[in-house]
Amino acid sequence: QVQLAESGGGSVQSGGSLRLSCAATIYTDSNYCLGWFRQAPGEEREGVVAIDRDGYTSYADSVRGRFTISRDNAKNTIYLQMNSLKPEDTAMYYCAADPPYGGACLAFAVAAFGYKGQGTQVTVSS
């Protein structure tokens, strides 16, 4: 079983930065991918970024170069540093977890991960 708790988020102007955190409680020794997906009103989920337990990362093209995911295994916490934010980044952001698909942790797959947190709102104004 997995429990996820997000923090961070908020409102910023275009070009600003925000940092999201996700504390993960995983009651198993199995390897889990952790990551973030986002969903704007009326739109489908978009897998944003994924990280495996060894620190290998995968990013969606829409955020590559602006967002950085990191993982602190000692604290079972992942962080998403979001820089150069744009209005189109506005969405509810969810931390998510699942075993790797085919052995890989890929950003696009995060949207379909089986475990997710409650979400945190990110709003970017122009």
Side-chain angles (χ1 to χ4, degrees), residues 2 4 26 30-35 50-52 71 95-101 104-106 109-116:
V2 177
L4 303 166
I26 301 176
S30 298
N31 181 24
Y32 272 81
C33 296
L34 294 171
I51 188 168
D52 72 9
R71 182 168 181 165
C95 180
D98 229 7
Y101 294 163
C105 294
L106 300 175
V110 179
F113 278 8
Y115 298 98
K116 67 179 182 69

Short mmCIF file of all heavy atoms in Angstrom, two decimals, residues 2 4 26 30-35 50-52 71 95-101 104-106 109-116:
data_model
loop_
_atom_site.label_atom_id
_atom_site.label_comp_id
_atom_site.label_asym_id
_atom_site.label_seq_id
_atom_site.Cartn_x
_atom_site.Cartn_y
_atom_site.Cartn_z
N VAL A 2 0.35 2.30 -0.58
CA VAL A 2 1.08 3.55 -0.71
C VAL A 2 0.19 4.71 -0.27
O VAL A 2 -0.99 4.76 -0.64
CB VAL A 2 1.53 3.77 -2.17
CG1 VAL A 2 2.22 5.11 -2.31
CG2 VAL A 2 2.43 2.63 -2.64
N LEU A 4 0.31 9.02 -0.15
CA LEU A 4 1.03 10.17 -0.68
C LEU A 4 0.42 11.45 -0.14
O LEU A 4 -0.81 11.59 -0.11
CB LEU A 4 0.96 10.17 -2.20
CG LEU A 4 1.48 8.90 -2.89
CD1 LEU A 4 1.06 8.87 -4.36
CD2 LEU A 4 2.99 8.81 -2.77
N ILE A 26 5.35 4.00 1.79
CA ILE A 26 5.20 2.80 0.97
C ILE A 26 5.41 1.59 1.86
O ILE A 26 6.51 1.36 2.36
CB ILE A 26 6.19 2.80 -0.21
CG1 ILE A 26 5.96 4.04 -1.07
CG2 ILE A 26 6.06 1.53 -1.02
CD1 ILE A 26 6.94 4.22 -2.20
N SER A 30 8.79 -3.34 -2.49
CA SER A 30 8.80 -3.31 -3.95
C SER A 30 9.29 -1.96 -4.46
O SER A 30 9.15 -0.94 -3.80
CB SER A 30 7.38 -3.57 -4.48
OG SER A 30 6.94 -4.84 -4.10
N ASN A 31 9.87 -1.99 -5.64
CA ASN A 31 10.32 -0.76 -6.27
C ASN A 31 9.12 0.02 -6.81
O ASN A 31 8.25 -0.56 -7.46
CB ASN A 31 11.28 -1.11 -7.42
CG ASN A 31 11.80 0.12 -8.12
OD1 ASN A 31 11.84 1.20 -7.55
ND2 ASN A 31 12.22 -0.05 -9.35
N TYR A 32 9.07 1.29 -6.51
CA TYR A 32 7.99 2.13 -6.99
C TYR A 32 8.54 3.33 -7.72
O TYR A 32 9.54 3.92 -7.31
CB TYR A 32 7.11 2.63 -5.83
CG TYR A 32 6.00 1.69 -5.48
CD1 TYR A 32 6.25 0.58 -4.68
CD2 TYR A 32 4.71 1.90 -5.94
CE1 TYR A 32 5.22 -0.29 -4.36
CE2 TYR A 32 3.68 1.04 -5.63
CZ TYR A 32 3.94 -0.06 -4.84
OH TYR A 32 2.93 -0.93 -4.53
N CYS A 33 7.89 3.67 -8.83
CA CYS A 33 8.13 4.95 -9.47
C CYS A 33 7.30 6.00 -8.73
O CYS A 33 6.17 5.72 -8.31
CB CYS A 33 7.67 4.95 -10.92
SG CYS A 33 8.55 3.83 -11.99
N LEU A 34 7.85 7.18 -8.62
CA LEU A 34 7.12 8.33 -8.09
C LEU A 34 7.13 9.42 -9.14
O LEU A 34 8.07 9.52 -9.94
CB LEU A 34 7.77 8.83 -6.80
CG LEU A 34 7.70 7.88 -5.60
CD1 LEU A 34 8.57 8.41 -4.45
CD2 LEU A 34 6.28 7.69 -5.14
N GLY A 35 6.08 10.22 -9.13
CA GLY A 35 6.05 11.29 -10.12
C GLY A 35 4.88 12.21 -9.92
O GLY A 35 4.19 12.16 -8.89
N ALA A 50 8.63 11.74 -13.91
CA ALA A 50 8.75 10.52 -13.11
C ALA A 50 10.18 10.34 -12.66
O ALA A 50 11.12 10.82 -13.32
CB ALA A 50 8.29 9.31 -13.91
N ILE A 51 10.34 9.63 -11.54
CA ILE A 51 11.68 9.33 -11.03
C ILE A 51 11.66 7.96 -10.40
O ILE A 51 10.69 7.58 -9.74
CB ILE A 51 12.13 10.42 -10.01
CG1 ILE A 51 13.59 10.22 -9.62
CG2 ILE A 51 11.23 10.45 -8.79
CD1 ILE A 51 14.17 11.42 -8.86
N ASP A 52 12.71 7.18 -10.64
CA ASP A 52 12.77 5.87 -10.00
C ASP A 52 13.64 5.96 -8.75
O ASP A 52 14.19 7.02 -8.43
CB ASP A 52 13.25 4.80 -10.99
CG ASP A 52 14.73 4.90 -11.35
OD1 ASP A 52 15.47 5.70 -10.73
OD2 ASP A 52 15.15 4.18 -12.26
N ARG A 71 14.62 13.35 -5.52
CA ARG A 71 14.09 12.35 -4.60
C ARG A 71 15.04 12.19 -3.42
O ARG A 71 16.25 12.02 -3.61
CB ARG A 71 13.92 11.02 -5.34
CG ARG A 71 13.34 9.88 -4.55
CD ARG A 71 12.95 8.74 -5.49
NE ARG A 71 12.37 7.61 -4.77
CZ ARG A 71 11.69 6.63 -5.38
NH1 ARG A 71 11.50 6.65 -6.68
NH2 ARG A 71 11.20 5.64 -4.67
N CYS A 95 0.69 14.09 -6.93
CA CYS A 95 1.78 13.15 -6.76
C CYS A 95 1.22 11.74 -6.97
O CYS A 95 0.09 11.46 -6.55
CB CYS A 95 2.34 13.29 -5.34
SG CYS A 95 3.69 12.18 -4.95
N ALA A 96 1.97 10.87 -7.61
CA ALA A 96 1.46 9.55 -7.93
C ALA A 96 2.57 8.51 -7.82
O ALA A 96 3.76 8.84 -7.92
CB ALA A 96 0.87 9.53 -9.33
N ALA A 97 2.17 7.27 -7.63
CA ALA A 97 3.13 6.18 -7.47
C ALA A 97 2.58 4.90 -8.08
O ALA A 97 1.37 4.66 -8.09
CB ALA A 97 3.44 5.96 -5.99
N ASP A 98 3.49 4.06 -8.58
CA ASP A 98 3.13 2.76 -9.11
C ASP A 98 4.42 1.99 -9.38
O ASP A 98 5.49 2.61 -9.54
CB ASP A 98 2.34 2.89 -10.42
CG ASP A 98 1.08 2.06 -10.41
OD1 ASP A 98 0.73 1.48 -9.37
OD2 ASP A 98 0.42 1.99 -11.48
N PRO A 99 4.35 0.68 -9.45
CA PRO A 99 5.53 -0.07 -9.88
C PRO A 99 5.89 0.32 -11.31
O PRO A 99 5.02 0.75 -12.08
CB PRO A 99 5.05 -1.52 -9.80
CG PRO A 99 3.94 -1.51 -8.82
CD PRO A 99 3.26 -0.20 -9.03
N PRO A 100 7.13 0.21 -11.68
CA PRO A 100 7.54 0.59 -13.03
C PRO A 100 6.86 -0.27 -14.10
O PRO A 100 6.67 -1.46 -13.90
CB PRO A 100 9.05 0.35 -13.04
CG PRO A 100 9.44 -0.10 -11.70
CD PRO A 100 8.24 -0.25 -10.85
N TYR A 101 6.49 0.34 -15.22
CA TYR A 101 5.91 -0.38 -16.35
C TYR A 101 7.05 -0.87 -17.23
O TYR A 101 7.78 -0.06 -17.79
CB TYR A 101 4.97 0.52 -17.15
CG TYR A 101 3.72 0.95 -16.42
CD1 TYR A 101 2.97 2.03 -16.88
CD2 TYR A 101 3.29 0.31 -15.27
CE1 TYR A 101 1.83 2.44 -16.22
CE2 TYR A 101 2.15 0.71 -14.60
CZ TYR A 101 1.42 1.78 -15.08
OH TYR A 101 0.29 2.18 -14.42
N ALA A 104 10.60 0.53 -16.39
CA ALA A 104 11.00 1.92 -16.56
C ALA A 104 9.99 2.86 -15.92
O ALA A 104 8.79 2.55 -15.86
CB ALA A 104 11.15 2.26 -18.04
N CYS A 105 10.47 3.98 -15.44
CA CYS A 105 9.61 5.03 -14.89
C CYS A 105 9.54 6.14 -15.93
O CYS A 105 10.51 6.89 -16.10
CB CYS A 105 10.18 5.58 -13.58
SG CYS A 105 10.20 4.40 -12.23
N LEU A 106 8.42 6.25 -16.61
CA LEU A 106 8.27 7.21 -17.70
C LEU A 106 7.21 8.25 -17.38
O LEU A 106 6.16 7.92 -16.81
CB LEU A 106 7.91 6.47 -19.00
CG LEU A 106 8.95 5.45 -19.45
CD1 LEU A 106 8.46 4.69 -20.67
CD2 LEU A 106 10.29 6.11 -19.73
N ALA A 109 3.50 7.82 -18.33
CA ALA A 109 2.77 6.77 -17.62
C ALA A 109 2.23 7.23 -16.27
O ALA A 109 1.33 6.59 -15.71
CB ALA A 109 3.68 5.56 -17.43
N VAL A 110 2.75 8.33 -15.74
CA VAL A 110 2.35 8.77 -14.41
C VAL A 110 0.86 9.09 -14.36
O VAL A 110 0.22 8.92 -13.33
CB VAL A 110 3.18 10.00 -13.97
CG1 VAL A 110 2.74 10.49 -12.60
CG2 VAL A 110 4.66 9.65 -13.96
N ALA A 111 0.32 9.54 -15.49
CA ALA A 111 -1.10 9.89 -15.51
C ALA A 111 -1.99 8.69 -15.20
O ALA A 111 -3.14 8.86 -14.81
CB ALA A 111 -1.47 10.48 -16.87
N ALA A 112 -1.47 7.50 -15.36
CA ALA A 112 -2.26 6.29 -15.13
C ALA A 112 -1.82 5.52 -13.89
O ALA A 112 -2.28 4.41 -13.66
CB ALA A 112 -2.19 5.37 -16.35
N PHE A 113 -0.94 6.10 -13.08
CA PHE A 113 -0.48 5.43 -11.87
C PHE A 113 -1.64 5.13 -10.93
O PHE A 113 -2.60 5.89 -10.84
CB PHE A 113 0.56 6.29 -11.15
CG PHE A 113 1.96 6.17 -11.69
CD1 PHE A 113 2.23 5.46 -12.86
CD2 PHE A 113 3.02 6.77 -11.03
CE1 PHE A 113 3.52 5.35 -13.35
CE2 PHE A 113 4.32 6.66 -11.52
CZ PHE A 113 4.57 5.96 -12.68
N GLY A 114 -1.52 4.04 -10.22
CA GLY A 114 -2.61 3.57 -9.39
C GLY A 114 -2.80 4.29 -8.07
O GLY A 114 -3.89 4.30 -7.51
N TYR A 115 -1.73 4.89 -7.54
CA TYR A 115 -1.83 5.61 -6.28
C TYR A 115 -1.61 7.09 -6.54
O TYR A 115 -0.71 7.47 -7.30
CB TYR A 115 -0.76 5.11 -5.30
CG TYR A 115 -0.90 3.65 -4.93
CD1 TYR A 115 -0.13 2.69 -5.57
CD2 TYR A 115 -1.78 3.25 -3.94
CE1 TYR A 115 -0.25 1.35 -5.24
CE2 TYR A 115 -1.90 1.90 -3.61
CZ TYR A 115 -1.14 0.97 -4.26
OH TYR A 115 -1.26 -0.36 -3.92
N LYS A 116 -2.41 7.93 -5.92
CA LYS A 116 -2.24 9.37 -6.07
C LYS A 116 -2.62 10.08 -4.79
O LYS A 116 -3.38 9.55 -3.97
CB LYS A 116 -3.05 9.91 -7.24
CG LYS A 116 -4.57 9.85 -7.09
CD LYS A 116 -5.22 10.44 -8.32
CE LYS A 116 -6.73 10.45 -8.18
NZ LYS A 116 -7.19 11.42 -7.19
#
